[in-house]
Structures are given as structure tokens and as C-alpha cells.
């Protein structure tokens, strides 16, 4: 319901045969470029603020360009790029990127891919990725100590320069080796291009980064690589046959684009890299030992497209296992309950919830039929029993997008209440309950300013707002735009209850603990922010969230139901990255930034009632 900007999308293609092969078989040299376009369109959900592509043409003569890049901003960036003169992109290696900013930084200078130029082909580096680094300050200090002077302070640009520096050293290593073999001139160049090992570059650069990442790159001499972080936070999938080596952020993208079965596509394991050498040799090499099993669960709940085989099943199960708490919320009155969903990304979880309720209603039918079987039931009695069903309606429609130029509070709040519209008379007023499922409830602002007001126009007996995800309690620092604690309705509810119960000393203590932890090496830090929630049950926080988000003029009873942590792990057992729910960050940098976020909240927003 509240759109989250999140990790970007990447796409890479390496043609493993000469361009003439594709012209003869597929009728065009643009085979690779066309596939790149399809992959990027299939990943458009992952980034709508900008896009970029790059290509490398192998075996060009000196004086001719061999590395090309095009970038554009806006939701139609892909179309803008492919509407240009794409003949210049004739080549064997392609890379595409779709961008969502999670840092607030915008402008063409932040749109991937990034390009580092040099007259030596092997030293040219083009880079794009799906990443957020938590220790960019440490890397910045490291490269400035080497004598570099970065022009831009961003993780993308600094990674380019840091990795570029290591690529320079790798080229120089081979230069020295070639000289030792008494090679000269262009023979040295050929030796370097044939012997550069991108695994050396990755091992000497990526071991320094803390964060979630999938980093893709290619060199002017024809090396291609993609590496996944050792915690497995960000996703990457690949496929290799005798014609292509391809990689994307989501599995169905490759399945659809290349007409593959699900099991044809492989997941790039944490800490490994897909490497394709200049000669087309492909390999998977371990760069860093896996450090944790922290694959992002939000990918499964919300970010990735729901047409992935496993994600579809997981989202259905997330919805189905919420049947119990929803039943309790409606006092088991399925006959007078209408079920729906907002927004469209919650649709699969909605189907799962319906499956659970259909099973429940059918079990009730069986029991009632058994009761009347020996009593000669009439046709009308049996028909009444058999006609019981789970009632579903499309109760809400997203009508408008609130424009950013509307900033005056009164006008903005009034317009926000009309972002969604309802299907009038879709339930019986003051008789039917209304159950609406969402994939997540983060800030609660859309509920407060729009959804609750609109649903109230239907005059339901009770509104039950259901989240297929647990309460989001902690910031994310690996690619989602959730960086401040005060943004989360669960956090605001916990702080409000601590104030109401006179527990200011707990807030004070946590603040001082955070300061003490921040004085330690980050590897030793403990996340004391978790103690904010310890005095309360999930149900108490739910009730406070409703109290805080209920519009002042609204009298309809509201209940909020969240997925449990146990339910999350049961539905998504292979993606255990749940730090935004539990506060257990997979990397030391995440814990450090969460502690900083609490200190910043206290020092900048919290209303002191006494001095610390």
C-alpha cells in the first residue's frame, strides 16, 4: 500500500559465439540487445527512476570505440535508451540496470552503469549493481589513504574507483609477467588481455565491503563478471548454454526471456561470482566464504515479481496461515464477512488467505450436513448449507497519484484521502465485516490519510487490516528506503506506550547503551534498540497502532493483524534475512547504523522530559 523504493535490477548477457552466428540463426545481430531489452522490461518493477545500458565490442582496431554506454532518467528511461541509435551497441557483452534511489540522491550522475576510462582496454571498467553498502565511510578513507581523490561520495562511484584501482594492479601484474617473458609492444597487450583474472580483482576489493550487493561489471578487453554478497542478501540468478551466459535479479526474467524451465536457472550462491573470460570461458568461482544465510525475505513478500514458482507458493502460504487470527478478529462470522486486498502486490497472499477460508467453510458444511443427514433434510435446507461461500469483492481502486508539488498540508491531506476509491455497495452496511490484506504495513500514513477513510464509506461492521508480513520495527540498510526508526508505525507505537506508562528510564538506558556500543569496534556491537519492544506483546502494539492511525472522525471498529515471525519462517524457510522484523542484522555495519538511527532519533526528535 505504501510503495517502498528498493533494490535495483541488473541484467547481463555474454554472447558466446560470433555475431554472424546470431545473424544467421535469429536473423539479426541484435539478438543480444533485444534480449537485454526484454530482461529490463521484465525487471521494470525493480527500478523506475532511471536506467542504463552498456556494451563491449571485442577485437576492435585502435582508433575505434569498443565500449558504449547510454543512460536516461524517469519511468520511461528504458524506452528513451532503446529509441536512440542503438547500432552503436553492436557487440558481444551487454549490461543493463534499472535504478531506484534509496538514499534520496538523484540526477544522471547517479544512474548506472558507471564507466572508468583508460587507453589500455583491460583497464577500462564498467560497473553497475544492486547494492547498498553500510561502510562506505571506511572505504572512502581507505582509497584516500592510497592517494586517490574521489569526486563523488557515493557507494557506486567509490566502488568503481576502488575496484578500478585493483584492476590497474592486476593489469600491471601481468605487464610485469609479460616483460619477464621478454614480450614486447602489442604482444604484451595480448598477454595481459588473455591472463587478467577478475577473481583477483574481486578478492582484493570486495572483501572490504559490508552490505548487501550484486555487483556486475565488464572490462574493455572483454572480461565479464557478477558477484553476490557473502551474506546472500541481494538476489542473482544465471543461465549458461553454448550460445549465451546471462544473469538477472529474478529467476522468471530469465525463464520468460529465454524460454526456460524453472530448474534450468541457477541461483548465484552467496560469496561467489559468475566469471566469463574474454575467450568465452565461463566459471563460478568462490570469492569470499559465505558469512551467513541472510537472503532477503522482503524479496519474497513484496519486491520480486510474484510469478516465480517458489515465491508464488510462499506468498499464498503467508496468506493462508493468517486464517486463524483473522477468524478470531471477525468472531468466526464468515457468513457476514467480505474479503479483499490492497494493493495489487498483495493479490497472491489474498488467494492464499481465501484458500484457508474456503477450507474452513467447507469443513463447516461437512459438519452441518452430518448433523441433518438422519433427519430427512429438505432440498432447501441442503441448498442453504451448500450455498455458503467465502465472499470476495474488489472494494478499493487506486485512482490517482499524489503529485509532489502539492505540499500545503491541508490540501495534501485532503487529496491523499482520495488516492483510492471504493466499489460502492459491495457489502451490507453495518452488517458485514471487511477484511483487507496488504503485503506489509510500514509507516501507516496511507492507512491513516486514505485507506481507512475510504473503507469507512462502506460502513462495515468492522475493518480488519491484515499484513502478510510481520511488524516492521527496524531500518534496512541493504537496499530498501527504510532508514529512520521514527518512520515505522510499530516503533512510534512502542515509544508512545513507554511514555504513557512512565517508562522514560528505559528509553534513557537504551540511548546510553547505544552510545556505549558505538564506541566499540562494530564487530562487537549489540543491538540494544531491540529492547524498546520487550515490555509489550505484539497485540498491545497492534492496538496502539490502530489508536494512532485511526482518523479522528472514524467510529468503525478497526483491528490490525500481522504475520508472526514463526509464520514468516514457516512460509519462507530458505530466506532467513529478517532484520527489519527482528533487529538481527546479518552484518556488523547494519547493527552499527541501527544504533546510530536510535541515537539520531533521540537527539533530533524525541521530546525530552528530563535531561539525560
Amino acid at each position: 500500500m505504501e510503495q517502498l523504493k528498493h533494490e535495483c535490477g541488473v541484467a547481463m548477457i555474454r554472447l558466446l559465439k560470433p555475431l554472424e552466428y546470431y545473424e544467421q540463426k535469429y536473423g539479426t545481430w541484435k539478438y543480444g540487445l533485444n534480449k537485454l531489452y526484454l530482461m529490463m522490461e521484465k525487471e521494470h518493477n525493480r527500478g523506475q527512476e532511471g536506467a542504463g545500458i552498456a556494451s563491449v565490442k571485442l577485437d576492435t582496431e585502435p582508433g575505434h570505440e569498443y565500449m558504449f554506454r547510454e543512460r536516461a532518467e524517469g519511468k520511461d528511461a528504458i524506452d528513451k535508451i532503446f529509441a536512440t541509435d542503438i547500432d552503436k551497441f553492436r557487440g558481444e557483452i551487454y549490461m543493463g540496470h534499472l535504478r531506484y534511489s534509496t538514499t534520496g540522491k538523484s540526477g544522471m550522475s547517479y544512474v548506472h552503469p558507471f564507466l572508468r576510462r583508460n587507453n589500455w582496454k583491460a583497464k577500462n571498467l564498467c560497473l553497475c549493481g544492486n547494492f547498498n553498502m553500510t561502510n562506505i565511510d571506511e572505504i572512502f578513507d581507505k582509497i584516500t589513504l592510497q592517494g586517490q581523490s574521489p569526486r563523488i561520495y557515493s557507494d557506486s562511484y567509490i566502488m568503481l574507483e576502488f575496484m578500478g584501482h585493483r584492476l590497474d594492479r592486476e593489469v600491471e601484474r601481468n605487464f610485469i609477467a609479460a616483460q619477464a617473458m621478454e614480450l614486447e609492444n602489442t604482444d604484451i597487450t595480448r598477454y595481459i588481455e588473455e591472463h587478467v583474472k577478475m577473481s583477483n580483482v574481486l578478492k582484493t576489493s570486495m572483501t572490504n565491503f559490508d552490505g548487501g550487493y550484486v555487483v556486475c561489471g565488464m572490462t574493455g578487453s572483454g572480461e565479464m563478471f557478477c558477484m553476490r554478497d557473502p551474506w546472500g542478501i541481494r538476489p542473482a540468478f544465471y543461465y549458461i548454454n553454448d550460445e549465451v551466459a546471462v544473469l538477472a535479479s529474478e529467476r522468471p526474467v530469465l525463464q520468460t526471456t529465454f524460454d526456460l524451465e524453472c530448474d534450468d536457472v541457477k541461483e548465484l550462491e552467496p560469496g561467489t561470482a559468475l566469471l566469463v573470460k574474454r575467450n568465452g570461458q565461463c566459471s563460478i568461482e568462490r570469492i569470499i566464504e559465505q558469512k551467513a544465510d541472510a537472503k532477503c525475505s522482503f524479496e519474497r513478500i513484496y519486491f520480486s515479481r510474484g510469478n516465480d514458482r517458489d515465491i508464488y507458493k510462499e506468498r499464498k502460504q503467508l496468506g493462508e496461515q493468517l486464517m486463524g487470527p483473522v477468524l478470531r478478529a471477525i468472531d468466526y462470522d464468515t457468513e457476514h464477512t467480505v474479503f479483499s486486498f490492497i494493493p495489487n502486490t498483495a493479490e497472491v497472499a489474498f488467494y492464499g488467505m481465501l484458500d484457508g477460508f474456503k477450507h474452513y467453510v467447507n469443513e463447516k458444511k461437512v459438519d452441518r450436513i452430518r448433523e441433518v443427514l438422519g433427519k430427512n433434510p429438505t432440498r432447501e435446507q441442503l441448498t442453504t448449507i451448500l450455498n455458503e461461500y467465502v465472499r470476495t469483492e474488489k472494494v478499493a481502486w487506486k485512482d490517482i497519484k499524489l503529485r509532489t508539488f502539492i505540499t500545503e498540508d491541508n490540501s495534501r491531506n485532503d487529496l491523499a484521502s482520495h488516492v483510492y476509491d471504493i466499489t460502492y455497495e459491495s457489502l451490507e452496511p453495518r452488517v458485514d465485516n471487511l477484511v483487507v490484506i496488504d503485503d506489509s504495513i510500514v509507516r501507516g500514513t496511507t492507512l491513516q490519510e486514505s485507506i481507512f477513510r475510504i473503507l469507512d464509506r462502506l460502513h462495515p461492521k468492522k475493518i480488519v487490516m491484515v499484513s502478510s508480513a510481520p511488524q516492521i520495527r527496524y531500518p534496512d540498510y541493504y537496499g530498501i528506503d527504510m532508514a529512520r526508526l521514527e518512520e515505522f508505525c510499530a516503533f512510534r507505537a512502542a515509544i508512545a506506550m513507554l511514555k504513557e506508562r512512565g517508562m522514560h528510564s528505559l528509553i534513557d538506558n537504551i540511548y546510553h547503551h547505544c552510545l556505549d556500543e558505538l564506541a566499540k569496534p562494530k564487530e562487537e556491537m549489540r543491538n540494544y534498540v531491540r529492547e524498546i519492544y520487550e515490555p509489550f506483546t505484539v497485540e498491545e502494539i497492534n492496538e496502539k497502532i490502530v489508536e494512532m492511525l485511526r482518523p479522528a472522525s472514524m467510529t468503525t471498529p478497526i483491528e490490525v493483524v500481522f504475520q508472526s515471525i514463526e509464520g514468516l519462517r514457516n512460509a519462507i524457510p530458505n530466506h532467513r534475512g529478517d532484520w527489519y522484523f527482528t533487529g538481527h542484522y546479518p552484518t556488523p555495519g547494519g547493527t552499527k547504523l541501527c544504533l546510530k538511527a536510535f541515537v539520531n532519533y533521540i537527539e533530533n526528535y524525541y521530546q525530552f522530559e528530563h535531561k539525560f
Side-chain angles (χ1 to χ4, degrees), residues 438-559:
D438 189 1
D439 35 42
S440 60
I441 299 173
V442 186
R443 303 174 180 96
T445 49
T446 307
L447 285 176
Q448 185 176 37
E449 296 173 0
S450 180
I451 299 300
F452 283 155
R453 296 175 189 271
I454 290 168
L455 297 182
D456 196 39
R457 296 177 195 163
L458 294 169
H459 307 297
K461 179 182 177 182
K462 182 180 185 180
I463 295 173
V464 181
M465 197 71 216
V466 184
S467 170
S468 66
Q471 291 176 355
I472 297 174
R473 298 180 169 189
Y474 306 93
D476 178 78
Y477 300 105
Y478 307 117
I480 310 171
D481 65 335
M482 302 189 302
R484 297 185 301 165
L485 283 161
E486 60 271 18
E487 293 182 345
F488 308 122
C489 57
F491 178 81
R492 298 197 306 271
I495 291 291
M497 287 192 290
L498 289 172
K499 290 180 179 180
E500 291 168 359
R501 299 183 187 186
M503 300 175 70
H504 299 278
S505 60
L506 177 61
I507 301 174
D508 294 3
N509 290 338
I510 294 172
Y511 171 72
H512 288 296
H513 279 310
C514 289
L515 290 176
D516 291 341
E517 292 300 301
L518 287 169
K520 299 177 181 178
K522 65 180 181 180
E523 291 76 16
E524 300 175 14
M525 294 178 186
R526 170 185 167 188
N527 189 7
Y528 274 93
V529 182
R530 299 180 69 244
E531 295 188 4
I532 283 291
Y533 300 96
E534 290 184 0
F536 313 113
T537 65
V538 170
E539 291 70 26
E540 286 177 306
I541 295 175
N542 288 352
E543 291 173 6
K544 192 62 181 179
I545 288 173
V546 170
E547 180 186 325
M548 295 170 63
L549 299 183
R550 175 195 297 279
S553 60
M554 187 173 174
T555 58
T556 302
I558 302 173
E559 187 168 339

Side-chain angles (χ1 to χ4, degrees), residues 127-305:
L127 205 65
C128 76
N130 168 14
F131 51 77
N132 263 34
M133 303 303 182
T134 68
N135 67 332
I136 199 64
D137 53 341
E138 298 171 10
I139 303 298
F140 183 84
D141 291 342
K142 191 178 185 72
I143 64 175
T144 53
L145 282 174
Q146 294 172 349
Q148 297 190 51
S149 184
R151 295 178 291 109
I152 302 174
Y153 189 90
S154 73
D155 52 5
S156 304
Y157 182 78
I158 289 173
M159 179 183 290
L160 176 72
E161 291 304 321
F162 190 52
M163 190 179 292
H165 174 73
R166 300 315 309 171
L167 178 60
D168 290 347
R169 300 289 81 77
E170 172 66 12
V171 170
E172 289 160 12
R173 179 185 71 82
N174 283 285
F175 179 83
I176 293 171
Q179 281 188 320
M181 298 170 63
E182 298 184 353
L183 298 178
E184 296 180 349
N185 302 323
T186 57
D187 289 336
I188 293 179
T189 301
R190 280 192 293 272
Y191 179 89
I192 291 172
E193 293 180 354
E194 290 170 1
H195 292 83
V196 163
K197 292 184 67 175
M198 288 308 300
S199 57
N200 288 344
V201 177
L202 294 172
K203 287 175 181 177
T204 55
S205 57
M206 298 312 298
T207 52
N208 294 273
F209 286 94
D210 179 305
Y213 57 83
V214 169
V215 179
C216 301
M218 54 190 186
T219 70
S221 59
E223 303 293 314
M224 185 184 100
F225 64 90
C226 177
M227 180 183 169
R228 188 181 185 189
D229 68 77
W231 302 274
I233 296 171
R234 298 274 69 87
F237 297 86
Y238 69 93
Y239 170 75
I240 301 171
N241 64 11
D242 62 339
E243 292 184 352
V244 294
V246 293
L247 179 136
S249 295
E250 297 183 28
R251 179 167 56 183
V253 171
L254 298 180
Q255 287 183 249
T256 303
T257 303
F258 294 92
D259 193 20
L260 305 173
E261 296 298 325
C262 187
D263 293 334
D264 294 334
V265 181
K266 307 300 180 185
E267 183 175 3
L268 189 63
E269 292 301 315
T272 67
L274 167 63
L275 301 170
V276 185
K277 292 192 66 61
R278 169 185 168 79
N279 62 8
Q281 179 184 345
C282 304
S283 64
I284 303 295
E285 188 167 338
R286 177 155 296 285
I287 304 301
I288 305 173
E289 289 302 314
Q290 183 170 347
K291 296 185 179 181
D293 182 7
K295 297 174 184 176
C296 176
S297 58
F298 235 114
E299 278 282 350
R300 320 299 283 186
I301 298 168
Y302 176 74
F303 292 144
S304 292
R305 289 160 59 98

Side-chain angles (χ1 to χ4, degrees), residues 13 87 111 138 206 218 284 311 319 380 387 425 488 561:
I13 301 178
D87 285 349
V111 177
E138 298 171 10
M206 298 312 298
M218 54 190 186
I284 303 295
I311 291 176
E380 184 180 1
N387 281 344
E425 300 185 17
F488 308 122
V561 173

Side-chain angles (χ1 to χ4, degrees), residues 34 46 93 165 249 270 275 382 437 461 601:
N34 291 340
R46 303 188 69 87
I93 309 174
H165 174 73
S249 295
L275 301 170
L382 289 174
I437 190 169
K461 179 182 177 182
Y601 166 74

Side-chain angles (χ1 to χ4, degrees), residues 570-582:
N570 183 54
I572 311 178
N574 298 320
H575 288 73
R576 302 187 67 83
D578 59 9
W579 52 91
Y580 15 73
F581 308 126
T582 65

Side-chain angles (χ1 to χ4, degrees), residues 396-402 406 409-422 424 445-457 551 553:
W397 305 77
K398 191 163 187 179
D399 254 4
I400 63 171
K401 177 181 174 68
L402 193 63
I406 303 169
D409 287 343
N410 293 333
S411 298
R412 188 174 184 85
N413 290 340
D414 177 62
L415 286 166
S417 67
H418 295 83
V419 169
Y420 286 86
D421 205 348
I422 56 165
Y424 289 95
T445 49
T446 307
L447 285 176
Q448 185 176 37
E449 296 173 0
S450 180
I451 299 300
F452 283 155
R453 296 175 189 271
I454 290 168
L455 297 182
D456 196 39
R457 296 177 195 163
S553 60

